Amino acid sequence: MKRLSIPGLRNAGRGRARSLLLALALSATASAAMAQQPVIDFRPPDIAAAKVCADRKSNDALELQWSNWDGRQLPSGVEYRDLDRELMRLRNIDADKYFDTVKSAYDLRRQEDPYYSRAAYLLDVVALYVEAERFDELKATGFVMELETIGPSATPGTINFLADLYLEGKAVPQDIDRGIQRKLQAAYNGDPDAVLFLAEKTSKGEDVPGWDMDPQLAFTLGFSSLLGNLDNAICGRVRRIARAFESGEVIAQDHALAEAWYRFAADLGDDQSAWQTARYHLSGEGIEKDNTTLLRYLQQAFDADIVPAKVQMAKLYEEGDLVPPDLGRAMAIYDDLAADGEPVGYERAIQLLARRGLDTPQDRQKYEDMLEALTKLPDAPGWAFSRLGVLTQEENGLWTDQEASRRLFEAAAERGDGEGKLHLARLYLRDGDAQDHQKAIAILEDLISTEAKAGAIDALRNALLCTAPDGPQIAEWARWKSLENEDWWRLFEDVTEAKLTDKADAFADLQASAIGGSMKDAGGVAAILTELEPARVDDIIEHWRALVRDHDGGEASVLEGAYNAVDTDARREKIRSALQQLADGGDIAAMAALAEIYMNEDDAASLKKATDLVEGAGGRMKGSVLWHLDDAYREAGKGRYQPPETLLNEIAAFGDFQALLFAADRVKSDERRAFYYDRAELIMPCDIDALGVKAGYALDAGRPDTADEALTVALALSPEEGWQQVKLGDIYLTLGSIADREAAFKLYTEAYEQGYRPAAWRLLDWYSDPGSRFYQEDDHVKLLTELLNSAEPDELYSIASRLKKAPDSVRAKISQVFDMKDAYRQAAGAGNPVAMRELAKLLRDGASVESEKSEASDWLEKAAKAGDAEAMLMLAQAYAFGVGVEHSADKAREWLKAAATAGDETAANLLSGLETN
């Protein structure tokens, strides 16, 4: 057997190393109390690689061969030189399961092999009993005591083994002192395990009487002795050295040396070490990564069916890293792992199917089959039950086969899956009795407290306010309200770099919410980032699509958010194409987004496309899109949209809250209307938007009491943000009573006072009627003055138009504190065409000298050239009559044509009259 030569110890044979170890131990003077872990520079020997460790058979083949063994002679092809290794592998697989087989093999070898001593036999058999944890049986055999009686003739390994039994109290009474003495005896006789044990203790500062060797030297000699001969068991010993360097638990951590030792063992044929080498080059931790080395050793481990190596190879094919992308190859690997009963095979296959999209019936069936198979494995993960429950609901709707979904969510919850608990709580709230309602609250409170689960606070709000059997539990909700998720995306309306910096924490929360599964927030993030960096829109979309790809509707939400923020038709068309591709694959969210886009194009062909998308999606189409389609039909003069009966039936099974309300509004019988409305109430989101929809529907349906109930809950939500107050004010205003109008006015005022600008426009509507009981002239003056002083250039004209309609007394007061001409001049200077036009009007109307008329004409021409149609008409008139400009019939006609082309009806009529004459 070849003895390895280690750098620095090339001439030390086993006997000489043992003598050297003893001499150094007796003469060492270094302190044993070292606080720091010793730094060891111990490198693999430089030898030609030989596959001495390669397993000639797989674990499956090994188990099959030995499971059928008759016990009379060694299995075919097995020699005594291979026996130690094969029996050790069986012990590592399951010492208790193969106890009788391994014990019989040792017994047979003792009978047949003259070189297999009684001491070696006892050591092997006692180790077998210990590994199988059959301590009582071991005591009864007397084998440990027999080992003790061997005395000086015992090998160092035997002595070290006995030391471990005494130290751990296995099969013998625990005796620490005796165990340490045995360790010392074994160490001085050259046993590497004993040397390393004592080196570890002293490196931690522990005092071991009789052992004074410097830990650094002890570790070096211990590793050298451990390495031993170049036999087929060397790789297990090399892995121990590699793990010591990797973990840094007993010696200074050194990832480069750990990788070198793993690679050494891999080159000797150890496939587990090949995987560890590949793992290092995947992470690059503490080493210089090398992709060639990575692929070489990953392939070695892959070919040996090392499970994590197979998973990693499949990941490379998934991602197209280092190898050409091949999702089919990745799936085949996962399928092989699943066929071998490996849970990770099922898990990765399920994730890959979801990532690719369940676009075909075959993919969807395979996804379901994989989930079902995974749930049947021992220790199946809870998320598999959750996904299967969701799949059941998607296929059958919320209202069919509810018991099956409930069982799956309960199984997920029992296994600690947060998503399963959340689904179970929602199911309890929707379908359960009062007792189930309390169970749901307990589940949700636990999810919020222990997991901060996204969606749990919304469900708890629903339980305490919207579905509470005895009415809103306002005091109970107050305990949790501070944890409520904000509508973060609303904080970034009119986003700027400065605003994003000021609200960095809120934006981080928005991104976390998006990644966690809020598709509304995913769209918000995409819109914000696109608005800030339009040139990077492709990168933004690609990055966020990848992040939310596993969430239903995630990619479509990102695309829709970016579509609404991009600034060119070319970019919009590119995003529309991506949405169309998703829609063609059956993505409901993409179909909804496309329908919204087509509805905004205001032509019959686009409206037809939107209708086809809505009806093609069936009952799963978002209810808000149905209402928007109805609005589009009315604006197009087609009357209200009446869905086909098939769509109404699908909405009954799959529709969301707004879809069910829409269906209730479209069916003819009171019985069907009540059916849809009752289902809508059971799944209604508990937020101001949904409550507003409910109140509006209730009023249209002649149910004012229901509208009042919705308002009661809305008030319990205690809106504090301006947008919430305006939304609630709108609901109150819809109800129409004096008390309701007073409440609306108060909410608008509160929203405006905290800086929510849309509230100002609501208040201006109220102040348009000086005879109203709510009118206060001083407040009207204050509001208009504040709006004028803070107006952006493109807002100024709209506010000024409101001022023109105000009472004379209001206009007089404002003229004393606000210079409209100066404001228009600033806005015009900023490039606003409307401000240019209005400034020209003011200058012209007040002109007392030709220079003022000329300036007015200059601004008017700038506005016309900037594309303002009204300015074009006014400039045409100026040239026609020579007002502020030199008379020119040609220029008058030219600008009149331009105004007509720009859409000015007056200009078009004048031009038509001129051409007729």
Side-chain angles (χ1 to χ4, degrees), residues 385-406:
F385 293 89
S386 290
R387 290 198 187 184
L388 201 54
V390 170
L391 194 63
T392 300
Q393 289 183 336
E394 289 176 353
E395 291 178 348
N396 302 324
L398 294 176
W399 317 99
T400 303
D401 204 9
Q402 297 174 63
E403 188 57 37
S405 299
R406 180 171 180 148

Side-chain angles (χ1 to χ4, degrees), residues 702-739:
R703 298 184 178 190
D705 292 343
T706 301
D708 283 337
E709 290 172 7
L711 277 177
T712 299
V713 176
L715 283 173
L717 294 175
S718 301
E720 296 172 357
E721 297 291 336
W723 72 267
Q724 293 175 315
Q725 292 168 329
V726 167
K727 184 70 179 180
L728 187 55
D730 291 345
I731 300 173
Y732 270 113
L733 192 60
T734 303
L735 291 175
S737 72
I738 294 298

Side-chain angles (χ1 to χ4, degrees), residues 64 80 114 183 191 236 267 302 328 422 441 455 469 496 530 545 570 826-827 832:
L64 179 63
Y80 283 118
K183 285 288 184 183
D191 181 75
D267 290 341
F302 177 87
L422 182 56
I441 290 174
T496 62
T530 300
R545 284 183 71 175
Q826 291 184 40
N832 184 266

Side-chain angles (χ1 to χ4, degrees), residues 220-521:
T220 302
L221 293 174
F223 285 154
S224 176
S225 182
L226 179 66
L227 196 58
N229 295 322
L230 189 62
D231 55 30
N232 62 10
I234 186 175
C235 289
R237 303 193 296 272
V238 171
R239 285 199 302 271
R240 284 186 57 189
I241 297 172
R243 286 196 295 268
F245 281 113
E246 181 177 14
S247 69
E249 293 177 359
V250 296
I251 59 175
Q253 191 175 58
D254 191 323
H255 290 296
L257 283 176
E259 186 274 342
W261 281 105
Y262 280 131
R263 183 157 34 89
F264 176 64
D267 290 341
L268 294 176
D270 185 60
D271 300 321
Q272 286 290 347
S273 293
W275 161 240
Q276 298 301 333
T277 305
R279 179 177 57 81
Y280 259 114
H281 286 274
L282 279 165
S283 69
E285 184 178 9
I287 68 164
E288 185 175 344
K289 293 175 64 173
D290 184 276
N291 290 337
T292 301
T293 302
L294 162 61
L295 289 176
R296 172 188 169 186
Y297 290 101
L298 182 61
Q299 187 67 54
Q300 178 182 337
F302 177 87
D303 291 340
D305 289 332
I306 304 298
V307 171
K310 296 183 75 170
V311 172
Q312 185 58 53
M313 185 69 83
K315 286 182 180 179
L316 294 184
Y317 282 118
E318 272 195 72
E319 298 160 6
D321 289 342
L322 308 181
V323 296
D326 189 337
L327 295 183
R329 177 69 178 132
M331 183 61 78
I333 295 171
Y334 295 143
D335 286 342
D336 287 344
L337 287 167
D340 290 338
E342 294 289 347
V344 69
Y346 292 101
E347 293 169 7
R348 294 295 306 182
I350 289 165
Q351 292 168 12
L352 179 53
L353 284 166
R355 175 189 165 192
R356 289 195 318 196
L358 307 178
D359 299 334
T360 67
Q362 293 81 6
D363 282 345
R364 192 168 183 86
Q365 186 61 52
K366 180 174 181 177
Y367 181 77
E368 185 173 355
D369 291 344
M370 283 283 188
L371 280 172
E372 287 185 351
L374 182 56
T375 60
K376 290 178 170 60
L377 294 180
D379 301 320
W383 62 261
F385 293 89
S386 290
R387 290 198 187 184
L388 201 54
V390 170
L391 194 63
T392 300
Q393 289 183 336
E394 289 176 353
E395 291 178 348
N396 302 324
L398 294 176
W399 317 99
T400 303
D401 204 9
Q402 297 174 63
E403 188 57 37
S405 299
R406 180 171 180 148
R407 285 195 303 270
L408 288 165
F409 292 140
E410 285 175 341
E414 288 171 2
R415 289 161 175 79
D417 180 64
E419 199 66 24
K421 292 177 183 178
L422 182 56
H423 281 295
L424 182 61
R426 288 171 174 164
L427 192 148
Y428 282 154
L429 291 176
R430 189 182 71 236
D431 303 324
D433 53 21
Q435 187 175 1
D436 285 335
H437 195 275
Q438 290 304 311
K439 289 181 184 177
I441 290 174
I443 291 172
L444 294 169
E445 289 179 345
D446 178 68
L447 280 175
I448 296 167
S449 301
T450 60
E451 299 184 29
K453 183 68 181 174
I457 192 69
D458 295 334
L460 183 61
R461 181 179 62 235
N462 187 23
L464 295 175
L465 297 180
C466 289
T467 61
D470 300 322
Q473 306 296 303
I474 298 173
E476 186 65 21
W477 170 241
R479 295 174 49 223
W480 300 95
K481 189 179 186 305
S482 62
L483 302 177
E484 188 174 16
N485 293 331
E486 290 189 70
D487 271 313
W488 288 295
W489 59 274
R490 294 182 185 267
L491 300 176
F492 298 98
E493 295 170 344
D494 303 321
V495 68
T496 62
E497 286 281 3
K499 194 169 186 179
L500 194 63
T501 301
D502 291 342
K503 298 184 180 296
D505 290 342
F507 189 61
D509 288 337
L510 177 68
Q511 293 179 86
S513 177
I515 295 171
S518 171
M519 295 305 95
K520 178 179 71 175
D521 289 341

Side-chain angles (χ1 to χ4, degrees), residues 5 87 200 284 292 299 321 363 455 461 519 548 552 580 602 619 690 784 810 847 886 911:
S5 180
L87 296 182
E200 178 181 350
T292 301
Q299 187 67 54
D321 289 342
D363 282 345
R461 181 179 62 235
M519 295 305 95
V548 300
D552 286 341
Q580 186 66 59
D602 197 26
L784 280 170
V810 171
E886 187 177 346
L911 186 63

Side-chain angles (χ1 to χ4, degrees), residues 560-580:
E560 185 177 17
Y563 181 92
N564 293 329
V566 292
D567 54 0
T568 67
D569 289 340
R571 285 174 174 158
R572 277 188 282 271
E573 186 56 39
K574 186 174 182 180
I575 295 173
R576 188 201 300 241
S577 296
L579 283 168
Q580 186 66 59

